[in-house]
Amino acid sequence: QVQLVESGGGLVQPGGSLRLACATSGFTFGIYAMSWYRQAPGKERELVATISPSGGSTNYADSVKGRFTISRGNAKNTVYLQMNSLKFEDTAVYYCRREGGAIYWGKGTLVTVSS
C-alpha cells in the first residue's frame, strides 16, 4: 500500500524558512522521480519542483526558482523541500507525489506565510 505523509508545515513570517518532508512507503522509492505540488486557497494545484530518481536532476517552477530546493534521501524513502525567502503567495497546502505509475496523494501539509 503506497503511503505519502507530508510534514513540516506551519506559520512563518515573510522572508522566513521552512523545511518540508514527505515520508513514503509501499513502493521502491529509489526508482521514481518525486515532486512537490501546492494548492493555494481558491486556486488549482500546481507543480513546484521535481527531482529525478537519483537526485541528480531537479526542476522548479519559475515562481520558486532560487528560493526552494528539493532533495531526497533514498535510504530514508523521503523527499524534502527546503523553502527560503518565503512570500505571502507561497501560502498553500503542499503535497508530494510519486511521478509514474498510479497517482497517489498524501494529505498535505499547510504552509502559511503571514506577518
Side-chain angles (χ1 to χ4, degrees), residues 38 46-49 59-68 87 90:
R38 68 184 180 186
E46 64 173 351
L47 176 63
V48 174
N59 285 289
Y60 298 91
D62 287 343
S63 58
V64 307
K65 208 170 286 185
R67 300 187 298 121
F68 290 12
K87 305 177 180 181
D90 294 319

Side-chain angles (χ1 to χ4, degrees), residues 5 7 17 19 22-23 29 45 68 72 77 102-103 111-112 115:
V5 180
S7 63
S17 297
R19 188 190 195 211
C22 172
F29 180 77
R45 195 169 297 189
F68 290 12
R72 63 191 297 159
N77 296 338
I103 294 175
V111 172
T112 303
S115 54

Side-chain angles (χ1 to χ4, degrees), residues 44-106:
E44 303 261 325
R45 195 169 297 189
E46 64 173 351
L47 176 63
V48 174
T50 301
I51 188 165
S52 64
S54 69
S57 179
T58 57
N59 285 289
Y60 298 91
D62 287 343
S63 58
V64 307
K65 208 170 286 185
R67 300 187 298 121
F68 290 12
T69 302
I70 188 171
S71 61
R72 63 191 297 159
N74 284 357
K76 294 186 176 182
N77 296 338
T78 301
V79 60
Y80 304 95
L81 187 68
Q82 177 67 43
M83 306 187 296
N84 298 329
S85 302
L86 282 161
K87 305 177 180 181
F88 293 117
E89 53 264 41
D90 294 319
T91 294
V93 178
Y94 285 73
Y95 303 87
C96 67
R97 195 180 90 171
R98 181 184 76 178
E99 299 298 343
I103 294 175
Y104 295 92
W105 295 101

